[in-house]
Amino acid sequence: MAKKQVNIGMFERAGRASGQANLSEAGYKAPYDYSKGFTDSMKRASEATAAAKKTADLLKKNPNGVKIPKLTEAANQQVTDYLITKKPEIAAAHQVLRTGTDEEKLEATEFLNKVDKGVQQLNADFENAATKQAELLDMSSSGGYANSNTANQSLNFNDMANGHMAAGAMVQEDENGMPRVMYNSQNADGTITQKVWDTIDVGGAYDDSLYKLIEGDKEGKGFAFDILNIAGKTAVQKNPELWNNVHKPKMIKQVKNILKENPNAAGDLMFQEEDFAPILNGVLSESYPNLPTGGDGELDEESAEYKAAIEELKGDGFQVNNDYFLEQLGIMLDDDFNDAMGNDANKIKINF
């Protein structure tokens, strides 16, 4: 199906305008020739989608919460098998404690202490991994996972959240000889490797602070509400240039502060929020001109090609030029201010 219709927000209006510009020159890094790796991206995007569906189905079937076992049957067997391999060494160490020299007894004691620490580490691994799984399920349920995460991050996230990784858990010693819980995970290039469970890249949560600052929140805070209040001020109605000289610069400064703390905030916003889809789709249309469209002429966001193009864009180090973002924001703020004032859209001039 084609892109869903949404209420027109600030960035949707700007997206329509910016679609007429050369987006690569306007601050977007054009990706490499997608025909060389598009098939692989389609495969990884499809795998990530399937994993996400498995998580969604799990949550749907358990509306009152998913029960997460600390030890799966497979994991319990892994622990048993590991301890069986250590049994001869443990027996030998106890024999040394009875008959060995002082130096040998010291080494045997150190070995047994290490075995004990290993068991404690495994216990902590399984307990913390179960807690992490619950956290990821909560994030998925609340819709808080960032769409800007790559396909392999999304696959890892959902495989950990829905218990697929835990079902195939392995116990292996790390480089320090300490037993750890290992999961199979996908790397950025699509290869599968075994990694300690808490070192797997699962991406991260979406920070909606920039979106709320611009479009407003449930409490009536944000630029969308501020502009209406500013336009209603007597001083501004008498001197509209106060908007350009005082009020808008304050708003731009707030956005700059967010972008300074999180340079990827603008890019994350475009991947996450439907109001921003026109800008992102403008980039995709220019970079990948043959992407499928729906009956309304918009890009078909449910098509395998569209999802693969998104992955190609992320994989090529897609970045939003924040100066360009601020320029587009300035246009939108001016448009909203002029609408609130009932002015001609060209009356207030952009000024940074």
Side-chain angles (χ1 to χ4, degrees):
M1 61 183 287
K3 183 177 75 69
K4 297 178 182 177
Q5 295 296 314
V6 296
N7 293 331
I8 297 178
M10 289 184 177
F11 273 77
E12 185 162 7
R13 293 192 296 277
R16 292 172 179 170
S18 66
Q20 301 174 3
N22 184 316
L23 295 174
S24 293
E25 293 179 358
Y28 294 94
K29 180 172 179 273
Y32 59 89
D33 182 4
Y34 70 89
S35 62
K36 296 178 181 179
F38 217 51
T39 301
D40 182 59
S41 290
M42 288 177 70
K43 178 177 180 294
R44 285 187 283 119
S46 177
E47 291 171 343
T49 299
K53 183 179 184 304
K54 186 176 179 180
T55 302
D57 289 345
L58 178 65
L59 290 168
K60 185 177 181 180
K61 292 176 182 177
N62 297 273
N64 296 322
V66 178
K67 185 177 180 180
I68 302 173
K70 176 179 175 180
L71 273 177
T72 64
E73 184 176 339
N76 188 57
Q77 187 61 51
Q78 283 280 317
V79 174
T80 300
D81 291 345
Y82 173 76
L83 292 176
I84 288 175
T85 64
K86 290 295 180 182
K87 190 174 181 179
E89 294 177 83
I90 293 173
H94 282 293
Q95 179 63 32
V96 168
L97 289 179
R98 290 192 295 269
T99 63
T101 65
D102 289 344
E103 184 177 350
E104 290 172 338
K105 289 180 179 179
L106 179 60
E107 290 179 359
T109 299
E110 290 177 349
F111 170 77
L112 292 173
N113 286 340
K114 186 174 182 180
V115 171
D116 183 59
K117 288 181 180 178
V119 172
Q120 293 179 40
Q121 179 63 63
L122 285 177
N123 183 67
D125 273 357
F126 283 116
E127 186 171 331
N128 292 334
T131 299
K132 181 67 172 181
Q133 182 183 348
E135 292 173 354
L136 298 186
L137 276 173
D138 287 343
M139 189 187 299
S140 179
S141 178
S142 66
Y145 189 63
N147 292 338
S148 56
N149 292 309
T150 60
N152 74 292
Q153 290 173 322
S154 177
L155 177 67
N156 292 336
F157 171 89
N158 283 289
D159 277 355
M160 190 176 289
N162 61 41
H164 178 75
M165 285 186 176
M170 295 154 285
V171 174
Q172 295 182 7
E173 292 183 350
D174 61 16
E175 63 277 9
N176 299 314
M178 187 64 65
R180 299 297 307 273
V181 174
M182 304 275 188
Y183 289 161
N184 282 328
S185 66
Q186 189 179 75
N187 301 313
D189 61 1
T191 58
I192 303 296
T193 57
Q194 294 178 1
K195 293 183 178 179
V196 177
W197 75 272
D198 58 0
T199 65
I200 294 173
D201 185 3
V202 297
Y206 169 60
D207 180 359
D208 64 355
S209 57
L210 181 57
Y211 180 77
K212 287 183 177 178
L213 176 65
I214 295 170
E215 293 286 7
D217 58 23
K218 295 180 181 179
E219 298 177 359
K221 298 178 181 178
F223 293 170
F225 299 101
D226 293 342
I227 288 173
L228 293 175
N229 293 331
I230 292 169
K233 293 180 179 293
T234 302
V236 174
Q237 291 176 351
K238 290 181 179 179
N239 181 14
E241 281 302 318
L242 287 174
W243 160 252
N244 203 43
N245 296 330
V246 178
H247 298 291
K248 186 176 73 170
K250 289 182 179 179
M251 294 181 178
I252 296 296
K253 184 177 181 180
Q254 291 181 66
V255 175
K256 285 182 176 180
N257 287 337
I258 289 180
L259 295 179
K260 184 177 180 180
E261 300 235 343
N262 180 11
N264 297 320
D268 291 346
L269 191 69
M270 291 172 58
F271 283 108
Q272 195 80 19
E273 303 292 349
E274 289 192 34
D275 287 351
F276 292 70
I279 296 180
L280 177 60
N281 286 348
V283 179
L284 291 170
S285 295
E286 179 169 297
S287 301
Y288 313 115
N290 297 319
L291 291 176
T293 57
D296 56 2
E298 299 285 349
L299 292 180
D300 183 356
E301 296 181 5
E302 298 303 316
S303 69
E305 293 85 354
Y306 179 91
K307 293 177 181 178
I310 289 288
E311 289 311 309
E312 288 290 306
L313 203 60
K314 295 175 187 176
D316 194 51
F318 171 78
Q319 292 181 335
V320 174
N321 183 309
N322 285 335
D323 289 336
Y324 172 67
F325 177 85
L326 291 170
E327 177 186 347
Q328 294 299 310
L329 177 60
I331 294 172
M332 291 179 290
L333 295 178
D334 283 334
D335 285 346
D336 276 20
F337 175 72
N338 282 306
D339 286 345
M341 291 285 288
N343 292 333
D344 181 88
N346 296 319
K347 185 171 182 180
I348 302 299
K349 185 179 180 181
I350 298 174
N351 181 25
F352 289 102

